[in-house]
Amino acid sequence: MTSQDDSDNIITDDVFRQIVFNAVGPLAISRGTRIIYVNQALADLLEVESPDELIGIDSTKWIHLNDRERVALYAKERTEGKDVPIDYIFRLLSKTGKEIIVEARTEVIQLEDGPVILGGYREITARIQAEMQLLESEIRYRSLLSGSRDAIVVITRDGFVYANAQTFRMTGYSEQEFYELSINDVVVPEYVDFVNSYILSRQKGEPVADLY
């Protein structure tokens, strides 16, 4: 049964078709993780000839293994009305296996036949690679290479995006397991608030100590 508030928020199919038709960048519509619409721009990004090849399949098939669980959880909880990020970064895999980093913006749209998830995507592979090259240059400058005896990680608002081999040795996690963790999972409880506050200050560009 649809409440009065839900009815007021329903978008008619005709209006929704106009939204989709006018979309320029890669776009997909799904129910849960099942794809029900993909535009040509997203098909091109995934190196698929026709959007029809993607209709009806599980969208997680095209998501990097290390990102699948997180993205699927976002989709499930978003449909349930829970508070999850609207904007986030993850990796897609093209038909040829090429890794594509995208910035996604997703939201639930209430249609006449039920809710769907509308996702727009922007490829940022080149930007992330440039940022990583800069980071690697800085790390190299400081002689903190992947073979360092120190654990080195890179963390963004979406979680860990880089960790060296020593990190896996020190924590006991495999590479796949580690990238599914949050900072809260690897910091002892009494320091979690402090570390999160430090990271937030860093991200805001506020002056903080280099060592702590």
Side-chain angles (χ1 to χ4, degrees):
M1 181 175 180
T2 302
S3 69
Q4 182 62 46
D5 289 342
D6 289 338
S7 297
D8 291 341
N9 293 327
I10 290 176
I11 297 177
T12 65
D13 290 347
D14 287 342
V15 171
F16 189 63
R17 288 191 189 96
Q18 286 300 314
I19 294 173
V20 172
F21 180 77
N22 291 323
V24 176
L27 180 143
I29 303 168
S30 62
R31 278 198 165 92
T33 59
R34 185 177 64 85
I35 297 172
I36 60 175
Y37 173 82
V38 171
N39 67 356
Q40 187 63 50
L42 183 54
D44 291 341
L45 185 63
L46 294 173
E47 300 180 313
V48 172
E49 288 188 11
S50 169
D52 292 340
E53 293 184 44
L54 304 171
I55 304 303
I57 68 170
D58 189 329
S59 61
T60 58
K61 171 185 176 182
W62 299 92
I63 298 174
H64 192 285
L65 180 62
N66 291 339
D67 295 335
R68 284 179 189 174
E69 184 175 349
R70 173 169 59 92
V71 175
L73 180 62
Y74 284 171
K76 177 178 179 294
E77 293 189 342
R78 184 176 295 106
T79 303
E80 294 172 351
K82 296 181 180 179
D83 185 19
V84 295
I86 295 175
D87 301 311
Y88 52 96
I89 294 171
F90 66 95
R91 290 161 292 181
L92 291 169
L93 293 173
S94 75
K95 190 173 184 178
T96 61
K98 183 174 70 176
E99 187 174 304
I100 305 162
I101 305 173
V102 295
E103 187 172 50
R105 165 159 288 196
T106 56
E107 60 181 309
V108 174
I109 304 293
Q110 297 291 339
L111 297 182
E112 294 169 327
D113 61 346
V116 297
I117 297 175
L118 174 66
Y121 307 94
R122 181 164 65 97
E123 183 181 5
I124 57 171
T125 307
R127 191 192 85 190
I128 295 297
Q129 288 176 342
E131 291 174 356
M132 291 303 297
Q133 288 172 359
L134 177 60
L135 176 62
E136 289 171 1
S137 177
E138 292 173 353
I139 292 175
R140 191 176 299 112
Y141 176 73
R142 299 178 185 181
S143 299
L144 297 177
L145 304 177
S146 60
S148 171
R149 295 179 181 178
D150 297 320
I152 302 171
V153 300
V154 178
I155 187 169
T156 70
R157 63 183 180 180
D158 295 300
F160 293 106
V161 296
Y162 171 80
N164 68 347
Q166 182 65 4
T167 300
F168 309 134
R169 286 192 289 268
M170 289 179 63
T171 61
Y173 292 105
S174 68
E175 181 176 357
Q176 180 178 341
E177 291 171 335
F178 189 84
Y179 286 122
E180 294 174 353
L181 301 175
S182 72
I183 189 68
N184 295 354
D185 296 318
V186 295
V187 175
V188 292
E190 56 264 37
Y191 287 104
V192 165
D193 289 343
F194 169 76
V195 172
N196 280 313
S197 176
Y198 181 91
I199 291 173
L200 182 60
S201 295
R202 275 284 194 189
Q203 291 174 336
K204 290 179 178 179
E206 298 172 355
V208 292
D210 289 333
L211 299 176
Y212 62 96

